[in-house]
Amino acid sequence: MKTIHDMTDEELALSYIDGNNRAFDLLLSRNQSKLFSYILFVVRDRNTADDIFQETFVKVISKLQQRKYTTSGKFGAWIMRIAHNVIMDWYREQRLGRIVEPTLDNDLSNMCGNEFLVGNIENYFVNEQVMRDVRKLLNTLPAPQREVVFMRFYQQMSFKEIAETTNVSINTALGRMRYAILNLRRLAKDNNIALQLA
């Protein structure tokens, strides 16, 4: 018989639906880091990300308790779709109220690029500078483009998963990635930034 720690996320979700609260605790611990990173990357403010993260999990709990979860897909993709919808609701509210500027202290430094670092100390400093430049450029992209870049490169999601999570067609997801890359290249050229790792 499987122990709770051997269960997949999908099995844990079904177990929680059947009344096992420990199953939800394990689901939360398995998914919170990835989900919070995604939310923070898109909204670029830790306090807002905390609020959206909490609202997302309230909705997850509610949907599970209402038995609105089916195991037709990955649990992680399902909660990412819920988070995406909460973020879009937040953006709509912000647009109605006021324009939100990104904070100075959130320059994506929480995204680690150390796996790209190779070679000697000179390469290390060149690569660190490139990663800082990429983070700054990513912060200037519109939210839908930034979101697709994050999902594709930092969470290794397929374009099909990205499309399902963001409720758009695959062509729209591909288009957003294309525009993000074009914008990044243009911004790099306009600011004389070399984006090649040493």
Side-chain angles (χ1 to χ4, degrees):
M1 185 171 138
K2 273 188 176 180
T3 68
I4 192 170
H5 294 285
D6 296 328
M7 290 181 174
T8 65
D9 285 355
E10 290 73 24
E11 291 169 329
L12 288 170
L14 294 175
S15 181
Y16 174 69
I17 289 169
D18 290 336
N20 183 349
N21 289 332
R22 286 185 53 227
F24 184 80
D25 294 342
L26 187 54
L27 267 177
L28 177 62
S29 69
R30 283 184 184 176
N31 291 281
Q32 66 185 5
S33 177
K34 181 179 178 181
L35 186 66
F36 185 79
S37 295
Y38 160 67
I39 294 168
L40 180 61
F41 186 82
V42 175
V43 301
R44 300 185 293 186
D45 177 75
R46 186 165 291 278
N47 291 331
T48 302
D50 284 334
D51 292 344
I52 290 173
F53 178 80
Q54 289 174 21
E55 185 176 342
T56 297
F57 265 96
V58 166
K59 287 187 184 259
V60 167
I61 291 167
S62 174
K63 288 181 184 293
L64 287 171
Q65 289 175 345
Q66 295 168 9
R67 299 185 177 273
K68 290 187 177 177
Y69 173 73
T70 58
T71 57
S72 59
K74 293 181 181 177
F75 180 80
W78 183 70
I79 62 172
M80 291 281 281
R81 193 166 36 255
I82 293 171
H84 168 78
N85 291 337
V86 172
I87 291 168
M88 292 304 105
D89 289 344
W90 176 80
Y91 271 119
R92 281 185 209 103
E93 289 174 19
Q94 297 306 307
R95 242 184 280 147
L96 293 174
R98 59 183 168 76
I99 296 173
V100 176
E101 295 294 328
T103 59
L104 295 174
D105 62 342
N106 189 2
D107 65 354
L108 298 179
S109 60
N110 57 333
M111 306 305 294
C112 182
N114 291 339
E115 64 271 15
F116 297 113
L117 299 178
V118 292
N120 62 29
I121 194 71
E122 182 180 344
N123 287 350
Y124 170 83
F125 287 114
V126 168
N127 291 339
E128 278 293 304
Q129 183 60 50
V130 168
M131 293 309 294
R132 276 194 299 276
D133 291 340
V134 167
R135 290 179 192 119
K136 286 178 189 171
L137 293 178
L138 283 172
N139 269 333
T140 66
L141 293 177
Q145 292 175 24
R146 202 169 55 244
E147 180 179 44
V148 170
V149 169
F150 181 81
M151 289 178 169
R152 184 74 178 133
F153 292 109
Y154 291 97
Q155 295 190 320
Q156 288 81 44
M157 292 174 71
S158 70
F159 282 105
K160 182 180 181 201
E161 291 171 324
I162 293 169
E164 289 171 357
T165 301
T166 58
N167 292 323
V168 298
S169 70
I170 291 177
N171 285 341
T172 299
L174 288 167
R176 287 176 179 174
M177 178 61 76
R178 179 177 175 269
Y179 285 117
I181 291 170
L182 290 172
N183 283 333
L184 288 171
R185 285 182 181 154
R186 181 184 50 78
L187 288 165
K189 184 179 178 186
D190 290 350
N191 293 293
N192 295 320
I193 296 173
L195 296 179
Q196 187 168 351
L197 295 173

